[in-house]
Amino acid sequence: MQIKGSIALVTGANRGIGAELAKALLASGAAKVYGAARDPAAITGAGLVPVRLDVTQDDQVAAAAATCRDVTLLINNAGIAAFTPLLEAPTLENAEAEMATNYFGTLRMCRAFAPVLKANGGGAIVNVLSVAAMFNVPMQGSYCASKAAETSLTHGIRHELKAQGTAVHGAYFGYVDTGMTAHLSMPKESPADIARGVLAGIAAGEEEILVDQRARDTRAALMQNPRAMELAMQAAWDARQRR
């Protein structure tokens, strides 16, 4: 779909990738951009329409869908990462929170806004995913599982929404320089570059938007030899356990 003239809603628009997506949408000619966050006062980007939204809360999602009835582009960006293993984590708290936001939050938004998009001619949904959805990094196993579930959700709603003319995109990329990854010391992409790449993929009609080189390399490696990635992750986990 065309970004110019669209009316977009971006979840988690108060910081990081979400803030840059909202900014890039306006710069690309979007007619209106709703910036959604738990605290609407945190939406400070010029030209944005703040919306109170916690994607884990049914009443807030329903209220957003009732208020933002003109949306033609929904970007499900809100997400959390606890960076904990599946079995080594002391409780299920982190895994449950990641699933509640990354999977069920995205599903809740898709269910609420599908009728809105249909009424406005179809439009598009973009689910912000991760290369971590493509394989499991055991040191952050529960996050990877939540993103894999969100990826499967993306494929599923694509099937269900095709008849109403709603395009469904999944955006994949590696580590990005945001607060979520501040504790990680490794090369990271700029949030602004990621936002521009996501919008370019939407405009090009790419169902699978491989935003950065890490996403493209990971997809290629998995297609060539999925077992090699599994062996690499096992080696990484074993090395961690020896420290």
Side-chain angles (χ1 to χ4, degrees):
M1 69 173 293
Q2 288 190 352
I3 303 299
K4 186 175 182 179
S6 65
I7 298 175
L9 185 150
V10 182
T11 65
N14 55 311
R15 60 184 179 181
I17 297 167
E20 291 297 337
L21 281 166
K23 180 180 177 181
L25 283 162
L26 288 172
S28 298
K32 183 193 294 186
V33 178
Y34 294 102
R38 289 187 176 94
D39 177 8
I43 302 296
T44 58
L48 300 182
V49 180
V51 176
R52 181 183 300 279
L53 181 58
D54 180 342
V55 299
T56 69
Q57 300 300 311
D58 286 326
D59 58 340
Q60 292 191 28
V61 172
T67 299
C68 309
R69 290 175 291 179
D70 50 353
V71 165
T72 60
L73 173 59
L74 170 64
I75 302 185
N76 289 310
N77 165 75
I80 61 171
F83 296 96
T84 49
L86 289 159
L87 304 181
E88 195 177 87
T91 71
L92 287 176
E93 182 179 357
N94 288 338
E96 289 174 341
E98 286 164 337
M99 288 297 290
T101 300
N102 302 344
Y103 174 72
F104 285 109
T106 299
L107 177 57
R108 189 175 283 108
M109 289 294 294
C110 291
R111 288 172 60 89
F113 277 88
V116 173
L117 294 170
K118 181 179 181 179
N120 294 326
I125 294 173
V126 182
N127 292 337
V128 174
L129 303 167
S130 167
V131 294
M134 299 180 184
F135 62 100
N136 194 283
V137 182
M139 290 72 76
Q140 55 192 70
S142 57
Y143 172 74
C144 294
S146 72
K147 283 297 183 178
E150 190 181 355
T151 296
S152 184
L153 177 161
T154 301
H155 297 318
I157 65 168
R158 183 178 296 133
H159 300 319
E160 293 190 50
L161 296 181
K162 182 177 181 180
Q164 73 172 42
T166 299
V168 178
H169 308 267
Y172 300 83
F173 42 82
Y175 292 111
V176 184
D177 191 10
T178 67
M180 183 183 288
T181 63
H183 65 291
L184 300 176
S185 56
M186 57 184 60
K188 303 169 191 175
E189 299 293 331
S190 140
D193 287 345
I194 294 298
R196 285 190 290 269
V198 171
L199 297 195
I202 298 168
E206 299 171 2
E207 290 184 344
E208 182 180 68
I209 305 173
L210 302 175
V211 181
D212 63 358
Q213 194 59 48
R214 182 178 173 88
R216 293 186 286 273
D217 289 346
T218 300
R219 174 60 73 211
L222 287 168
M223 290 180 67
Q224 183 176 9
N225 185 358
R227 182 60 179 158
M229 185 68 76
E230 290 296 315
L231 292 173
M233 291 302 99
Q234 186 66 63
W237 178 259
D238 291 345
R240 177 182 183 273
Q241 296 303 96
R242 288 194 294 268
R243 289 202 293 268

